[in-house]
Amino acid sequence: MTEEIVVIGAGVGGTVTANRLQKELNREISAGDVRIRIISDTPQHVYKPTWFYVPWGEAEPEDATRPLADLIDRRVDIIYDRVTNIDTAAKSLSLSDSGSIPYDYLVVATGAIPDIEGTPGFGADGNGHHFYNEEAAMDLRAELSSFEGGRLVFSVVEMPHVCPAVPIEFTMMADARFRELGKRDDVDLTYTYPIPQLHSVDAVDEWVKPRFADRDVTTYTDFNFASVDADAKVIHTEDGDTLSYDMLVGVPGFKPSSLIADSGLGESWMEVDKHTLESDHAEGVFGVGDVTNIPTSKAGSVAHYAAGTVVSRVAALARGHTPRTTFDGDAICFLEAGTDSGSHMSFQYDTEPVIRDETEFVHWAKLAYNESYWLTARGLA
Ligand SMILES: Cc1cc2nc3c(=O)[nH]c(=O)nc-3n(C[C@H](O)[C@H](O)[C@H](O)COP(=O)(O)OP(=O)(O)OC[C@H]3O[C@@H](n4cnc5c(N)ncnc54)[C@H](O)[C@@H]3O)c2cc1C
């Protein structure tokens, strides 16, 4: 009997998982003992970190995407459809257009969705900008290029959000860019964060404090949006304070697909064991990447490393062995510190990150990684 392994979602986590499973189970696939299928609701694979560079004109939207068929190994079957329900008792998936399909082992990698409409100031009622899709990133590019001065407020409105480094990187990039353009004295660069420090990771908080001070960034912590008066361009906080802005850019809240709660895999985020990445609620079901509730950053590197653990565990199960590989929360994040320098940090669940001084070399290493990402997605690195 053929063991059916199905991956839902073809972002970083799903694509790396499917390609590596194919390598790991090559012999079993050839013998007809295993079949791997990946279900994607889009024919394009998106490398989301590119969106960060688009508003600054340092990348174009087309740099962010590749046809999924060019990235997934030909021995993995791709189904272009949307999963609408997971029946974990019957081990079966319902799809929008293609009926239902069975699974023996399931990997859920459906990511996190920016909750634009649900975030004060960023939905239909607001005029806040973000860069979490192509259209928004291009709109922001137009706004930034015509911004002559005034208060630019960059706000992390809600948590958790994807990529822990982005708020710091955007602020430092804005500082560097406006300096290059000779406009920095005309821009009051203001950063707000919803907890009583500049970043939720203590080491980042320590690293960024002197750097924001050197760059004359005005900061507000414990700053929680209650509402935004988009006509008056004023943010009202839960504490009753107000902050006016000329341009508002920010990180909205994020949420998982409703598929997770609807299928009983978690009340909100998919609930998994943080070491085995197996569902708390269903046997043979694993979670990879932003969709999970594991206590670490929602980052591509986490999805990549977690995929390695899930591949090893699913392959062991498919062969009738006991899985032994576990995940310790491995993460590595680059931190761009402007237009020509960067730093990086790596950490695990139980290891605090150490952040070194920024260098030009690390900045170029990040840009090089962005170029070589397409090999990572193919499971080659
Ligand atoms: C601007 C920006 C900058 C970033 N910078 C960095 C960085 O520098 N470093 C870093 O490590 N991370 C960074 N990240 C975060 C990183 O992109 C994410 O953590 C990563 O994409 C998560 O991968 P994933 O596979 O979990 O989810 P995703 O990449 O979001 O993929 C999920 C996929 O599942 C599909 N899907 C969802 N529901 C269904 C369904 N029901 N049926 C079928 N398919 C479905 C979606 O369409 C999508 O293709 C950044 C993110 C952004 C937005």
Side-chain angles (χ1 to χ4, degrees):
M1 204 184 77
T2 304
E3 298 265 34
E4 298 282 358
I5 303 175
V6 179
V7 179
I8 311 176
V12 187
T15 300
V16 172
T17 300
N19 282 330
R20 290 216 183 149
L21 273 170
Q22 180 281 135
K23 273 203 186 70
E24 181 71 27
L25 292 168
N26 203 297
R27 237 175 331 174
E28 288 80 356
I29 294 170
S30 297
D33 295 336
V34 166
R35 173 164 64 167
I36 302 170
R37 297 198 267 187
I38 186 164
I39 305 171
S40 175
D41 60 1
T42 160
Q44 296 290 322
H45 177 98
V46 181
Y47 178 53
K48 294 180 175 177
T50 308
W51 300 134
F52 170 76
Y53 296 95
V54 169
W56 306 105
E58 293 201 1
E60 297 302 323
E62 53 270 26
D63 298 331
T65 59
R66 294 274 195 285
L68 187 56
D70 291 352
L71 298 177
I72 298 284
D73 190 279
R74 61 184 175 76
R75 287 154 63 91
V76 174
D77 296 339
I78 308 177
I79 301 173
Y80 297 106
D81 206 338
R82 182 166 187 77
V83 177
T84 54
N85 188 55
I86 305 169
D87 182 340
T88 55
K91 293 199 159 191
S92 164
L93 306 176
S94 302
L95 279 64
S96 274
D97 301 325
S98 334
S100 62
I101 64 167
Y103 68 82
D104 294 296
Y105 302 104
L106 178 67
V107 182
V108 181
T110 48
I113 306 163
D115 185 12
I116 308 299
E117 291 303 320
T119 303
F122 288 80
D125 297 338
N127 52 15
H129 294 275
H130 65 93
F131 40 84
Y132 289 96
N133 59 45
E134 174 178 342
E135 193 188 350
M138 289 303 281
D139 281 353
L140 179 54
R141 180 192 284 190
E143 288 295 320
L144 285 169
S145 63
S146 61
F147 189 64
E148 290 303 328
R151 181 177 290 148
L152 192 167
V153 175
F154 184 86
S155 291
V156 175
V157 186
E158 279 170 21
M159 294 164 71
H161 59 81
V162 302
C163 188
V166 152
I168 305 297
E169 292 184 304
F170 186 94
T171 308
M172 290 201 179
M173 183 73 108
D175 170 77
R177 263 313 170 85
F178 288 124
R179 279 182 204 281
E180 283 167 10
L181 294 169
K183 294 184 187 172
R184 184 63 182 91
D185 288 344
D186 303 322
V187 177
D188 170 5
L189 188 55
T190 298
Y191 170 94
T192 80
Y193 204 69
I195 60 171
Q197 50 190 49
L198 292 176
H199 198 273
S200 58
V201 177
D202 291 345
V204 177
D205 180 57
E206 286 303 316
W207 184 85
V208 79
K209 265 190 249 176
R211 287 164 176 82
F212 274 8
D214 284 351
R215 289 165 172 79
D216 287 328
V217 177
T218 308
T219 59
Y220 295 89
T221 56
D222 219 358
F223 186 97
N224 289 286
F225 280 49
S227 62
V228 174
D229 181 338
D231 294 330
K233 294 192 170 180
V234 174
I235 303 163
H236 295 265
T237 71
E238 287 178 356
D239 291 336
D241 295 326
T242 58
L243 179 66
S244 62
Y245 61 87
D246 294 292
M247 193 194 310
L248 174 62
V249 186
V251 179
F254 280 78
K255 60 182 182 183
S257 159
S258 56
L259 178 68
I260 301 305
D262 293 348
S263 305
L265 291 175
E267 280 185 24
S268 168
W269 302 102
M270 181 179 174
E271 291 157 10
V272 297
D273 179 285
K274 69 177 187 176
H275 292 298
T276 66
L277 303 174
E278 187 159 4
S279 165
D280 289 346
H281 305 286
E283 210 181 308
V285 179
F286 294 81
V288 165
D290 290 354
V291 71
T292 65
N293 70 336
I294 57 173
T296 187
S297 302
K298 294 198 180 299
S301 62
V302 174
H304 177 199
Y305 289 127
T309 298
V310 167
V311 166
S312 175
R313 295 189 73 86
V314 170
L317 289 166
R319 291 179 179 131
H321 300 163
T322 303
R324 305 231 180 264
T325 311
T326 53
F327 183 61
D328 293 325
D330 304 67
I332 179 163
C333 289
F334 286 101
L335 259 171
E336 290 278 34
T339 46
D340 59 5
S341 66
S343 183
H344 68 103
M345 57 179 163
S346 50
F347 48 95
Q348 295 180 313
Y349 291 137
D350 300 326
T351 317
E352 279 297 310
V354 176
I355 312 179
R356 306 226 148 62
D357 285 346
E358 55 273 40
T359 63
E360 190 176 346
F361 177 79
V362 176
H363 164 69
W364 285 107
K366 169 146 189 178
L367 296 186
Y369 177 80
N370 288 344
E371 293 301 318
S372 63
Y373 167 75
W374 304 105
L375 296 177
T376 300
R378 288 186 175 95
L380 299 176

